Amino acid sequence: MMSGGNYTTIDNQNVSGSVPAVPDQGQMTVKFTDSNLQTFPPSGTQGKISGGSQPPRDADDTFSKPISSSDESPQQGGGGGGGGWLRTFAVSSYKQYFDVDTSDVLERIKDSLFPFRGTFNERTADTPDLYGPFWICTTLIFVAASIGTFVTYVAHKLHNKDWNYDINLVTWSAGLFYGYVTIVPLGLYVILKYFSVPSGLVQLLCLYGYSLFVFIPALCLSVVPLESFRWVIAGVAGFMSATFVALNLRAHIKSAGERWFLIVASIFLLQLALAVILKLYLFTVAV
């Protein structure tokens, strides 16, 4: 049997079995009209169905596009639109802030030791990182705990007194450094947003994290058993750290109007207060 305008030939002589015989009337032909037949799939576009295996024109082509890193984050964070805020809880959202070379971290640490340049924010405006601040805070915790433990141990032995390890020194240091480098930039970010000052939270976290590096050598120098020397070390470290933060934020905070000086002065004094707290609780050895 052939369709599409051709003829169908049925040979009744080849039919056998239990089917009743039909009188042979020769060959019977059946003709189908072309207007009732359609080729499937249609060769042309009809409605929303296109020819071949193409999807409809108004179909969602999300899966036909190449997947990029920017497209993956919203899907992993709960989809786009209203669920975009869930990206905050996705680890992949912070991956870019830890993708930094060792040379970049060392260069930023060097900038923090020269606070009067005031160019740190400009250099890290496009590529702020959280890798350096995380390890600086972590190093500070272990240095503070180890140096403090060593100094107290020596002091107790020189006075022939029993010495016991204070585990609270580690937990106190962790709460101080991690809390300071998180809460203070977050609070400053809210204040700057209130005054319509352009600022980024990650950039503030990066700035405050690197500002704490100067306290690492200061803690190491605190082993010298001279109280006046420890005050000088704590004061110099606090002044360098406060100047580093204040000068790098001054250019951005000036857009806040007449109150910019008050904000910068508060930032400077808060950083000095951190140095005083470190001196009183970490640089001081009581026997």
Side-chain angles (χ1 to χ4, degrees):
M1 177 182 295
M2 299 178 62
S3 61
N6 297 325
Y7 294 90
T8 301
T9 302
I10 302 176
D11 192 354
N12 292 328
Q13 295 178 354
N14 296 328
V15 180
S16 60
S18 58
V19 181
V22 181
D24 187 6
Q25 299 179 356
Q27 294 182 347
M28 181 176 60
T29 59
V30 179
K31 183 179 180 180
F32 297 93
T33 60
D34 294 337
S35 60
N36 295 329
L37 297 179
Q38 293 182 355
T39 304
F40 187 87
S43 58
T45 303
Q46 299 181 3
K48 295 184 179 181
I49 302 178
S50 59
S53 58
Q54 303 269 343
R57 288 179 297 176
D58 59 350
D60 185 6
D61 57 350
T62 302
F63 299 99
S64 62
K65 296 180 180 179
I67 299 176
S68 59
S69 57
S70 60
D71 293 332
E72 290 177 353
S73 299
Q75 294 178 3
Q76 294 175 358
W85 63 274
L86 292 176
R87 288 178 295 177
T88 306
F89 305 98
V91 177
S92 59
S93 301
Y94 301 93
K95 181 179 179 181
Q96 57 179 327
Y97 302 120
F98 290 87
D99 186 12
V100 61
D101 297 332
T102 304
S103 59
D104 295 332
V105 175
L106 294 177
E107 187 67 24
R108 295 174 182 184
I109 289 176
K110 185 171 67 176
D111 287 341
S112 68
L113 297 177
F114 296 92
F116 295 99
R117 293 178 179 177
T119 59
F120 183 86
N121 262 7
E122 284 71 16
R123 293 186 178 184
T124 60
D126 298 329
T127 58
D129 73 282
L130 298 178
Y131 179 86
F134 172 78
W135 283 111
I136 288 173
C137 292
T138 304
T139 304
L140 271 172
I141 294 169
F142 285 99
V143 169
S146 59
I147 294 297
T149 300
F150 175 75
V151 171
T152 54
Y153 173 79
V154 173
H156 280 76
K157 289 301 179 182
L158 291 177
H159 292 79
N160 295 322
K161 293 184 177 181
D162 295 333
W163 173 81
N164 294 318
Y165 177 72
D166 187 10
I167 189 62
N168 294 326
L169 190 60
V170 177
T171 56
W172 187 87
S173 300
L176 175 65
F177 293 118
Y178 283 143
Y180 184 85
V181 83
T182 303
I183 297 176
V184 174
L186 183 60
L188 180 59
Y189 175 76
V190 174
I191 294 174
L192 295 180
K193 284 297 183 182
Y194 176 78
F195 289 103
S196 301
V197 178
S199 62
L201 178 59
V202 176
Q203 191 170 5
L204 291 175
L205 292 172
C206 179
L207 177 66
Y208 270 88
Y210 280 100
S211 71
L212 299 181
F213 178 82
V214 69
F215 291 107
I216 296 179
L219 284 171
C220 295
L221 292 175
S222 66
V223 298
V224 178
L226 292 175
E227 191 66 15
S228 59
F229 179 78
R230 289 172 178 168
W231 271 110
V232 171
I233 292 299
V236 172
F239 178 80
M240 292 178 62
S241 179
T243 304
F244 173 73
V245 175
L247 291 182
N248 278 282
L249 290 177
R250 181 183 60 179
H252 299 278
I253 297 178
K254 279 186 176 180
S255 60
E258 298 178 353
R259 299 182 180 181
W260 74 268
F261 181 79
L262 180 61
I263 299 176
V264 173
S266 301
I267 293 172
F268 186 87
L269 294 177
L270 187 61
Q271 204 78 357
L272 286 181
L274 174 65
V276 174
I277 293 174
L278 293 178
K279 170 61 185 70
L280 296 177
Y281 290 93
L282 295 180
F283 290 11
T284 302
V285 179
V287 180

